[in-house]
Amino acid sequence: MEALDLARWQFGITTVYHFILVPLTIGLSALVAIMQTAWYRTGNEKWLRLTKFYGKLLLINFALGVATGIVQEFQFGMNWSEYSRYVGDIFGAPLAMEALIAFFLESTFLGLWIFGWDKLPRGVHLATIWALAIGSTLSAYFIIAANSWMQHPVGAVFNPETGRAEMKSIVDVLTNTTALVAFPHVISTAFLVAGTFVCGIAVFWMVKKARADKTDADLPMYRTAARFGAWVMIVSGIGILITGDEQAKLMFQQQPIKMAAAEALCESEQPAAFSILSIGHLGATDCNDVKTLIKIPGFLSFLATGDWNAEVTGLNQLQPQYAERYGATDANGNEIHYQPNLLITYWSFRLMIGLAVFSAALALAVLWFTRKQRAADQRWLGGLALVSLPMPFLAASFGWIFTEMGRQPFVVAPNPTGSDQIFLLTTFGVSTAVSAGLVLTSMITFTLVYAVLGVFWFRLIHRYAVEGAPQVEPPPHPDEVDASRPLSFAY
């Protein structure tokens, strides 16, 4: 493999691993804040136990997320130095804001929350977990703003003397339409991940204890957590449907070839059908090889434009349009194929949608079987809860893969309504100073390190999840605590 292929694999491996952890941190920090707020308002001990229980799992996930996130930014300056040279003036700004504002909030108030249980007044301590949740959400926005600039560059001009894209307006970058539409979709997804996590673990415990003893004192607590997580899944699922529809229509305007690849639409259609199942040779790039077996007439037209009879342009018509506008050959005289990888874009799009069905099934089952203060004891429900736990993580990862792979062969996709000069092919973004051997070495190293971290993450999450919600005493009032004693870890 060449350095470009290895650099892409390394970035994909490390980013997917990091992105598995991020949605849970964003969603769970808000859910733990809601649980603590419920304890603060009602004084009910079950909410304090749930706050401590899921708060401990949040800390484990947060720590691993920070460790894996640092590597991401180093790669821009190492394997992708040509890309950094081209976009550094714009791309670095939201990343710096993420570090200076959002990560500052997250790390500072996480520390205050951990060590402040018996040091801070309860209202102030409650504010720290909300500050952590706000910091996590802000962090997501700045990262999405940076990524959205690559999907749809705005607020910049091309300087022909330096050969770089240069900042024109940070406001335009932060209010990019792509970011404004992607942000609520990502946040809704984060709440779906966290809601499934809370509900799945609570259902496992509820079924286990109900089958052993229906008078168990912990059953009402786990039932409450299960229904809380189920309602979060229902609300976030509706949010995903609405924001996903908005994203599809914006994608049709800004990246029509990604939309066509996601549907394996080879020839333009009016009205265009939505493909449920298409087949072709694995790895094939020839669009004519694809055969659609099951489809919904007119639905793709509606997804793309809101009109059931609108025309959607196919890949075979878009390729010459892109070639005419952005060039038919690269610097080496090779033909540029603007069509993204059909296999990855087509199936990652469907896996993103299909895997989320598990969360919907779990939410509806939990709300039905736990109504009227009942605690469900069906073994199959416990099994469904465990199977559903990893599904939204995988769905979110496939969504990210679709977003990034559908942009290829561009690393900075052109803005069809902006400057034709601001775009960058992936092949020109890789570093010319890093050899394939060096990239291979770092890729193997990071993959092994991440594999070890993944084992530790799973073992820690599993260990504390199977211990269940601990018995806790309400923290003493700060006035009753010796202020001179050393800080101690809350758990």
Side-chain angles (χ1 to χ4, degrees):
M1 284 188 179
E2 297 180 355
L4 171 64
D5 301 315
L6 293 166
R8 293 177 70 181
W9 272 105
Q10 179 175 322
F11 197 84
I13 291 170
T14 55
T15 305
V16 166
Y17 185 93
H18 177 62
F19 195 70
I20 287 176
L21 305 173
V22 169
L24 182 60
T25 294
I26 296 170
L28 192 56
S29 59
L31 298 191
V32 171
I34 293 172
M35 293 174 188
Q36 188 170 341
T37 303
W39 171 65
Y40 177 81
R41 296 292 300 273
T42 66
N44 193 321
E45 185 180 294
K46 70 179 179 183
W47 287 113
L48 177 60
R49 293 181 64 191
L50 291 173
T51 301
K52 294 273 189 176
F53 179 46
Y54 288 106
K56 186 184 296 182
L57 301 178
L58 169 65
L59 296 182
I60 295 168
N61 195 72
F62 182 87
L64 267 295
V66 171
T68 55
I70 294 172
V71 175
Q72 300 306 110
E73 299 192 17
F74 280 115
Q75 289 183 84
F76 293 130
M78 295 169 61
N79 298 345
W80 299 98
S81 58
E82 289 300 316
Y83 160 82
S84 297
R85 188 192 66 80
Y86 185 78
V87 305
D89 191 55
I90 304 111
F91 196 72
L95 290 186
M97 292 179 182
E98 192 269 340
L100 295 174
I101 301 173
F103 188 65
F104 170 80
L105 278 175
E106 288 180 280
S107 55
T108 301
F109 287 100
L110 178 63
L112 290 171
W113 187 70
I114 292 173
F115 295 108
W117 278 98
D118 57 0
K119 292 286 188 183
L120 298 172
R122 288 185 181 179
V124 176
H125 185 258
L126 175 62
T128 62
I129 186 66
W130 278 110
L132 167 63
I134 292 170
S136 298
T137 306
L138 273 178
S139 178
Y141 186 79
F142 288 127
I143 295 298
I144 290 170
N147 181 272
S148 295
W149 191 85
M150 295 190 295
Q151 308 284 346
H152 182 242
V154 295
V157 294
F158 179 74
N159 186 335
E161 294 183 1
T162 61
R164 301 173 65 239
E166 297 178 354
M167 179 79 78
K168 182 180 178 182
S169 169
I170 184 62
V171 175
D172 289 349
V173 173
L174 294 178
T175 57
N176 189 344
T177 54
T178 308
L180 296 179
V181 172
F183 177 67
H185 190 66
V186 171
I187 295 302
S188 298
T189 303
F191 276 97
L192 180 69
V193 171
T196 308
F197 186 79
V198 169
C199 182
I201 294 174
V203 169
F204 165 78
W205 273 107
M206 178 181 67
V207 173
K208 180 179 179 181
K209 285 185 172 290
R211 291 181 64 82
D213 180 7
K214 287 205 171 185
T215 63
D216 191 294
D218 286 346
L219 273 177
M221 177 186 66
Y222 286 120
R223 176 185 173 279
T224 298
R227 290 183 64 84
F228 173 59
W231 278 115
V232 170
M233 283 190 282
I234 294 291
V235 174
S236 59
I238 294 172
I240 288 172
L241 288 176
I242 296 173
T243 57
D245 180 63
E246 292 176 352
Q247 269 202 307
K249 289 176 172 54
L250 194 64
M251 180 173 68
F252 177 69
Q253 298 171 18
Q254 297 177 349
Q255 297 181 28
I257 204 164
K258 182 192 285 188
M259 169 67 89
E263 302 304 328
L265 183 69
C266 296
E267 302 294 337
S268 299
E269 292 184 11
Q270 184 184 14
F274 179 82
S275 164
I276 299 293
L277 177 62
S278 294
I279 59 173
H281 294 308
L282 291 176
T285 57
D286 184 358
C287 185
N288 294 319
D289 178 61
V290 177
K291 298 184 185 303
T292 300
L293 302 180
I294 305 173
K295 57 186 178 182
I296 303 175
F299 192 46
L300 179 57
S301 295
F302 176 77
L303 289 178
T305 66
D307 180 354
W308 290 86
N309 293 309
E311 179 180 347
V312 179
T313 309
L315 292 164
N316 288 339
Q317 287 71 46
L318 287 168
Q319 168 66 29
Q321 294 178 20
Y322 272 63
E324 181 180 4
R325 187 164 187 176
Y326 306 112
T329 57
D330 61 19
N332 298 320
N334 301 316
E335 183 182 1
I336 302 174
H337 297 283
Y338 289 99
Q339 170 186 303
N341 185 295
L342 285 182
L343 177 70
I344 295 177
T345 51
Y346 183 85
W347 285 110
S348 60
F349 185 66
R350 278 148 187 79
L351 288 170
M352 172 185 68
I353 298 171
L355 293 175
V357 172
F358 285 87
S359 296
L362 178 63
L364 294 175
V366 167
L367 292 177
W368 177 258
F369 287 102
T370 60
R371 67 192 189 284
K372 298 181 180 178
Q373 303 300 318
R374 287 184 294 184
D377 59 354
Q378 288 86 355
R379 187 190 296 273
W380 66 267
L381 184 59
L384 176 62
L386 294 179
V387 171
S388 299
L389 274 175
M391 296 307 174
F393 289 91
L394 295 173
S397 296
F398 279 117
W400 178 84
I401 291 171
F402 168 69
T403 299
E404 299 307 290
M405 290 298 292
R407 169 163 46 97
Q408 301 298 324
F410 295 107
V411 65
V412 177
N415 178 352
T417 59
S419 169
D420 277 351
Q421 295 175 305
I422 298 183
F423 65 86
L424 184 69
L425 292 170
T426 305
T427 188
F428 296 135
V430 72
S431 172
T432 56
V434 180
S435 67
L438 285 174
V439 181
L440 179 62
T441 301
S442 60
M443 184 181 77
I444 293 174
T445 302
F446 282 128
T447 302
L448 293 176
V449 170
Y450 277 25
V452 173
L453 289 174
V455 171
F456 277 108
W457 175 85
F458 178 78
R459 289 177 66 88
L460 286 170
I461 292 287
H462 179 265
R463 173 185 170 183
Y464 289 109
V466 298
E467 284 184 359
Q471 297 292 337
V472 295
E473 292 291 334
H477 192 279
D479 293 340
E480 301 172 356
V481 177
D482 180 7
S484 62
R485 71 173 179 78
L487 289 173
S488 60
F489 191 64
Y491 297 99

